[in-house]
Amino acid sequence: MKRSSCIRCGECCRRSSPSLQVSDISRVREGPIQRSDLYTLRVGELVRDNVEGALKRTEREIIKVREKKETGACIFYDDSGRQCTIYEQRPIQCAAMKCWDETEFMRVYSEPKADRWDLIEDGNLLRLMEAHEERCGYVRLDRYVQAIEESGERGVEKILGILKFDHDIRVLAPKKLGIDPDHLDLIFGRPLTE
């Protein structure tokens, strides 16, 4: 029998979390989603595309809601109650999700995605993010990885320098700039060592 309504199985929420569309920005600025609930997938990062079911490199930046480390479920999914804790203000991808009919989800998914520049307004922090991206971008890192065979130890040294800069900025930004450590994965993306 073909389903035509949600039976609250939670499968969509337990598999992963949504990425944010531009239309979700108010959910971060006004609540209920906090910056600490988010992380950035940066251009060139290797990720699992749940829509296509394959590993691929991101072509554009993506802001995602965090997943629970133990299960991979969306952090807003309450397993015991089998419900979303922010249901009335859930991201638009979640509102469009109907596992029996993907039409609306695919329409929403094709709309513009939110990125860090939509969420962060502090000019100094934006310049720091740009400097980090220039120095620690996945495209640059990949170039040095590809060059190891040709340049040997020099390529490895370049990679170690990138990893060190990425690590150091995550230590210094909270100390020197007062940035909440829980916001670092949104501001700079996930640590390169992860």
Side-chain angles (χ1 to χ4, degrees):
M1 178 178 203
K2 187 169 168 82
R3 195 172 353 152
S4 61
S5 64
C6 180
I7 60 171
R8 292 182 54 173
C9 67
E11 187 60 33
C12 53
C13 304
R14 289 193 316 244
R15 265 187 287 147
S16 185
S17 65
S19 55
L20 298 186
Q21 306 292 136
V22 168
S23 57
D24 290 315
I25 293 169
S26 64
R27 289 172 177 84
V28 178
R29 289 194 176 140
E30 300 159 19
I33 301 171
Q34 304 297 309
R35 289 181 180 194
S36 57
D37 297 327
L38 304 171
Y39 67 95
T40 300
L41 296 172
R42 298 185 300 137
V43 173
E45 190 168 348
L46 187 63
V47 298
R48 177 152 196 67
D49 184 321
N50 292 328
V51 172
E52 294 180 21
L55 286 176
K56 69 178 206 176
R57 296 208 179 272
T58 55
E59 295 175 6
R60 65 179 177 263
E61 189 169 289
I62 300 169
I63 305 296
K64 291 232 351 139
V65 171
R66 289 186 187 276
E67 293 91 7
K68 296 176 186 176
K69 288 186 176 162
E70 323 78 56
T71 64
C74 176
I75 61 167
F76 295 119
Y77 182 67
D78 173 17
D79 211 18
S80 62
R82 292 176 37 183
Q83 63 185 350
C84 175
T85 59
I86 62 166
Y87 186 81
E88 294 302 319
Q89 294 180 308
R90 68 197 184 276
I92 192 168
Q93 283 186 4
C94 301
M97 176 61 78
K98 294 172 181 67
C99 59
W100 62 92
D101 181 3
E102 295 179 348
T103 307
E104 179 64 8
F105 176 82
M106 294 308 291
R107 184 191 67 72
V108 165
Y109 186 78
S110 69
E111 291 177 357
K113 305 271 188 268
D115 63 30
R116 295 176 286 177
W117 283 261
D118 294 321
L119 299 175
I120 297 169
E121 297 165 337
D122 180 300
N124 290 327
L125 187 51
L126 290 169
R127 282 190 293 282
L128 183 61
M129 287 167 30
E130 286 173 9
H132 175 263
E133 193 62 38
E134 184 178 313
R135 180 102 183 249
C136 300
Y138 280 94
V139 173
R140 183 176 188 179
L141 183 62
D142 190 48
R143 188 172 53 238
Y144 288 126
V145 168
Q146 300 297 324
I148 287 176
E149 193 172 312
E150 191 175 298
S151 62
E153 197 165 312
R154 184 166 182 258
V156 172
E157 287 172 7
K158 293 280 191 186
I159 293 167
L160 291 174
I162 291 171
L163 295 175
K164 181 176 181 346
F165 185 87
D166 183 63
H167 171 269
D168 290 350
I169 202 166
R170 292 167 193 280
V171 172
L172 292 173
K175 288 180 183 176
K176 301 289 185 185
L177 303 174
I179 294 172
D180 185 329
D182 291 335
H183 296 181
L184 295 176
D185 287 355
L186 171 63
I187 295 169
F188 300 119
R190 297 184 293 184
L192 289 174
T193 54
E194 290 180 18

Coordinates of all heavy atoms in Angstrom, one line a residue, residues 91-133:
P91 N 13.7 23.7 9.5 CA 14.2 24.2 8.2 C 13.3 23.8 7.1 O 12.5 22.8 7.2 CB 15.6 23.5 8.1 CG 16.0 23.3 9.5 CD 14.7 23.0 10.2
I92 N 13.3 24.6 6.0 CA 12.4 24.4 4.9 C 12.6 23.0 4.2 O 11.6 22.4 3.8 CB 12.5 25.6 3.9 CG1 11.3 25.5 2.9 CG2 13.8 25.6 3.2 CD1 11.2 26.7 2.0
Q93 N 13.8 22.5 4.2 CA 14.0 21.2 3.6 C 13.2 20.1 4.4 O 12.6 19.2 3.9 CB 15.5 20.8 3.6 CG 16.3 21.4 2.6 CD 17.7 20.9 2.5 OE1 18.1 20.0 3.2 NE2 18.5 21.5 1.6
C94 N 13.2 20.3 5.8 CA 12.5 19.3 6.6 C 11.0 19.4 6.3 O 10.3 18.4 6.3 CB 12.7 19.6 8.1 SG 14.5 19.5 8.5
A95 N 10.5 20.7 6.2 CA 9.0 20.9 6.0 C 8.6 20.3 4.6 O 7.5 19.9 4.5 CB 8.7 22.4 6.0
A96 N 9.5 20.3 3.7 CA 9.2 19.8 2.3 C 9.4 18.3 2.2 O 9.0 17.7 1.2 CB 10.1 20.5 1.3
M97 N 10.0 17.7 3.2 CA 10.3 16.2 3.1 C 9.1 15.4 3.3 O 8.4 15.5 4.3 CB 11.3 15.9 4.2 CG 11.7 14.4 4.3 SD 12.4 13.7 2.8 CE 14.1 14.3 3.0
K98 N 8.8 14.6 2.3 CA 7.8 13.6 2.3 C 8.3 12.4 1.6 O 8.5 12.4 0.4 CB 6.5 14.1 1.5 CG 5.9 15.3 2.1 CD 4.8 15.9 1.2 CE 4.1 17.1 1.8 NZ 5.0 18.3 2.0
C99 N 8.7 11.4 2.4 CA 9.4 10.2 1.8 C 8.6 9.5 0.7 O 9.2 8.8 -0.1 CB 9.9 9.3 2.9 SG 8.5 8.6 3.9
W100 N 7.3 9.7 0.7 CA 6.5 9.0 -0.3 C 6.4 9.8 -1.6 O 6.0 9.3 -2.6 CB 5.1 8.8 0.2 CG 4.3 10.0 0.6 CD1 3.5 10.7 -0.2 CD2 4.4 10.7 1.8 NE1 3.0 11.8 0.4 CE2 3.6 11.9 1.7 CE3 5.1 10.5 3.0 CZ2 3.4 12.8 2.7 CZ3 4.9 11.4 4.1 CH2 4.1 12.6 3.9
D101 N 6.8 11.1 -1.6 CA 6.8 12.0 -2.7 C 7.9 13.0 -2.6 O 7.8 14.0 -1.8 CB 5.4 12.6 -2.9 CG 5.3 13.5 -4.1 OD1 6.3 13.6 -4.9 OD2 4.3 14.2 -4.3
E102 N 9.0 12.9 -3.4 CA 10.1 13.8 -3.3 C 10.0 15.1 -4.1 O 10.9 15.9 -4.0 CB 11.4 13.1 -3.7 CG 11.8 11.9 -2.9 CD 13.0 11.2 -3.4 OE1 13.4 11.4 -4.5 OE2 13.5 10.4 -2.6
T103 N 8.9 15.3 -4.7 CA 8.7 16.5 -5.6 C 9.0 17.8 -4.9 O 9.8 18.6 -5.4 CB 7.3 16.5 -6.2 OG1 7.0 15.2 -6.8 CG2 7.1 17.6 -7.3
E104 N 8.3 18.0 -3.8 CA 8.4 19.3 -3.1 C 9.8 19.4 -2.5 O 10.4 20.5 -2.6 CB 7.4 19.4 -2.0 CG 7.5 20.7 -1.2 CD 7.2 22.0 -2.0 OE1 6.8 21.9 -3.1 OE2 7.4 23.1 -1.4
F105 N 10.4 18.4 -2.0 CA 11.8 18.4 -1.4 C 12.7 18.8 -2.5 O 13.6 19.6 -2.3 CB 12.2 17.1 -0.8 CG 13.6 17.1 -0.3 CD1 13.9 17.7 0.9 CD2 14.6 16.6 -1.1 CE1 15.2 17.7 1.4 CE2 15.9 16.7 -0.7 CZ 16.2 17.2 0.6
M106 N 12.7 18.2 -3.7 CA 13.6 18.5 -4.8 C 13.5 19.9 -5.2 O 14.4 20.5 -5.6 CB 13.4 17.5 -5.9 CG 13.8 16.0 -5.5 SD 15.4 15.9 -4.8 CE 16.5 16.3 -6.2
R107 N 12.2 20.4 -5.2 CA 12.0 21.8 -5.6 C 12.8 22.8 -4.6 O 13.5 23.6 -5.0 CB 10.5 22.2 -5.6 CG 10.3 23.6 -6.1 CD 8.8 24.1 -5.9 NE 8.5 24.2 -4.5 CZ 8.9 25.2 -3.7 NH1 9.7 26.1 -4.1 NH2 8.5 25.2 -2.4
V108 N 12.6 22.5 -3.3 CA 13.2 23.3 -2.3 C 14.7 23.1 -2.3 O 15.5 24.1 -2.2 CB 12.7 22.9 -0.9 CG1 13.5 23.4 0.3 CG2 11.2 23.4 -0.7
Y109 N 15.2 21.9 -2.5 CA 16.6 21.6 -2.5 C 17.3 22.3 -3.7 O 18.5 22.7 -3.5 CB 16.8 20.1 -2.7 CG 18.2 19.6 -2.6 CD1 18.8 19.5 -1.4 CD2 18.9 19.2 -3.8 CE1 20.1 19.0 -1.3 CE2 20.2 18.8 -3.7 CZ 20.8 18.7 -2.4 OH 22.1 18.2 -2.4
S110 N 16.6 22.6 -4.7 CA 17.2 23.3 -5.9 C 17.3 24.8 -5.7 O 17.9 25.5 -6.5 CB 16.5 23.0 -7.2 OG 15.2 23.6 -7.1
E111 N 16.6 25.3 -4.7 CA 16.6 26.8 -4.4 C 18.0 27.2 -3.8 O 18.8 26.3 -3.4 CB 15.5 27.1 -3.4 CG 14.1 27.0 -4.1 CD 13.0 27.3 -3.1 OE1 13.2 27.5 -1.9 OE2 11.8 27.3 -3.6
P112 N 18.3 28.5 -3.7 CA 19.6 28.9 -3.2 C 19.9 28.5 -1.8 O 19.0 28.5 -0.9 CB 19.5 30.5 -3.3 CG 18.4 30.7 -4.3 CD 17.5 29.6 -4.2
K113 N 21.1 28.0 -1.6 CA 21.5 27.5 -0.3 C 22.1 28.7 0.5 O 22.7 29.6 -0.1 CB 22.7 26.5 -0.4 CG 22.3 25.3 -1.3 CD 21.7 24.2 -0.5 CE 21.5 23.0 -1.3 NZ 20.2 22.9 -1.9
A114 N 22.0 28.6 1.8 CA 22.6 29.6 2.7 C 24.1 29.4 2.8 O 24.5 28.2 2.6 CB 21.9 29.6 4.1
D115 N 24.9 30.4 3.0 CA 26.3 30.2 3.3 C 26.7 31.1 4.4 O 25.8 31.9 5.0 CB 27.1 30.5 2.0 CG 27.1 31.9 1.5 OD1 26.9 32.8 2.3 OD2 27.2 32.0 0.3
R116 N 27.9 31.1 4.8 CA 28.4 31.8 6.0 C 28.2 33.3 5.8 O 27.9 34.0 6.8 CB 29.9 31.6 6.3 CG 30.1 30.1 6.7 CD 31.6 29.9 6.8 NE 32.2 29.8 5.5 CZ 33.5 29.6 5.3 NH1 34.3 29.5 6.4 NH2 34.1 29.6 4.1
W117 N 28.3 33.8 4.6 CA 28.2 35.3 4.4 C 26.8 35.7 4.5 O 26.5 36.9 4.7 CB 28.7 35.6 3.0 CG 30.2 35.6 3.0 CD1 31.0 36.7 3.1 CD2 31.1 34.5 3.0 NE1 32.4 36.4 3.2 CE2 32.5 35.0 3.1 CE3 31.0 33.1 2.9 CZ2 33.6 34.2 3.1 CZ3 32.1 32.3 2.9 CH2 33.4 32.9 3.0
D118 N 25.8 34.8 4.5 CA 24.4 35.1 4.8 C 24.2 35.3 6.3 O 23.2 36.0 6.7 CB 23.4 34.1 4.3 CG 23.4 34.0 2.8 OD1 23.5 35.0 2.1 OD2 23.4 32.8 2.3
L119 N 25.0 34.6 7.1 CA 24.7 34.5 8.6 C 25.6 35.4 9.4 O 25.3 35.7 10.5 CB 24.9 33.1 9.0 CG 24.0 32.0 8.4 CD1 24.3 30.6 8.9 CD2 22.5 32.4 8.8
I120 N 26.8 35.8 8.9 CA 27.8 36.5 9.7 C 27.9 37.9 9.1 O 28.1 38.1 7.9 CB 29.1 35.8 9.7 CG1 28.9 34.4 10.4 CG2 30.2 36.6 10.3 CD1 30.0 33.5 10.3
E121 N 27.7 38.9 10.0 CA 27.7 40.3 9.5 C 28.9 41.1 9.9 O 29.1 42.2 9.4 CB 26.4 40.9 10.0 CG 25.2 40.3 9.5 CD 23.9 40.6 10.2 OE1 24.0 41.0 11.4 OE2 22.8 40.5 9.6
D122 N 29.7 40.6 10.9 CA 30.8 41.3 11.4 C 31.9 41.4 10.3 O 32.4 40.4 9.9 CB 31.4 40.6 12.7 CG 32.6 41.3 13.3 OD1 33.6 41.4 12.6 OD2 32.5 41.7 14.5
G123 N 32.2 42.6 9.9 CA 33.2 42.8 8.8 C 34.6 42.2 9.1 O 35.2 41.6 8.3
N124 N 35.1 42.4 10.4 CA 36.4 41.8 10.7 C 36.4 40.3 10.7 O 37.3 39.7 10.2 CB 36.8 42.3 12.1 CG 37.1 43.8 12.2 OD1 37.6 44.3 11.2 ND2 36.8 44.4 13.2
L125 N 35.3 39.7 11.2 CA 35.2 38.2 11.1 C 35.1 37.7 9.7 O 35.7 36.7 9.4 CB 34.0 37.8 12.0 CG 33.8 36.3 12.2 CD1 35.1 35.6 12.7 CD2 32.7 36.0 13.1
L126 N 34.4 38.5 8.9 CA 34.3 38.1 7.4 C 35.7 38.1 6.8 O 36.0 37.2 6.0 CB 33.3 39.0 6.7 CG 31.9 38.8 7.0 CD1 31.0 39.9 6.4 CD2 31.3 37.5 6.6
R127 N 36.5 39.1 7.1 CA 37.8 39.2 6.5 C 38.7 38.0 7.1 O 39.5 37.5 6.3 CB 38.5 40.5 6.9 CG 37.9 41.7 6.0 CD 38.7 43.0 6.1 NE 38.5 43.6 7.4 CZ 37.5 44.3 7.8 NH1 36.5 44.4 6.9 NH2 37.4 44.9 8.9
L128 N 38.5 37.7 8.3 CA 39.3 36.6 8.9 C 38.9 35.2 8.2 O 39.7 34.4 7.9 CB 39.0 36.5 10.4 CG 39.8 35.4 11.2 CD1 41.3 35.6 11.0 CD2 39.4 35.4 12.6
M129 N 37.6 35.1 7.9 CA 37.1 33.9 7.2 C 37.7 33.8 5.8 O 38.1 32.7 5.4 CB 35.6 33.9 7.2 CG 34.9 33.6 8.5 SD 33.1 34.0 8.5 CE 32.5 33.7 6.9
E130 N 37.7 35.0 5.2 CA 38.3 35.0 3.8 C 39.8 34.6 3.8 O 40.3 33.9 3.0 CB 38.1 36.4 3.2 CG 36.7 36.6 2.8 CD 36.5 38.1 2.3 OE1 37.5 38.8 2.1 OE2 35.3 38.4 2.1
A131 N 40.5 35.1 4.8 CA 41.9 34.8 5.0 C 42.1 33.3 5.2 O 43.0 32.7 4.7 CB 42.6 35.7 6.0
H132 N 41.3 32.8 6.1 CA 41.3 31.3 6.4 C 41.0 30.5 5.2 O 41.7 29.5 4.9 CB 40.3 31.0 7.5 CG 40.3 29.6 7.8 ND1 39.3 28.8 7.3 CD2 41.0 28.7 8.6 CE1 39.4 27.5 7.7 NE2 40.5 27.5 8.5
E133 N 40.0 30.9 4.4 CA 39.6 30.2 3.2 C 40.8 30.2 2.2 O 41.1 29.2 1.6 CB 38.3 30.7 2.6 CG 37.7 29.9 1.6 CD 37.3 28.5 2.1 OE1 36.8 28.4 3.3 OE2 37.5 27.5 1.4

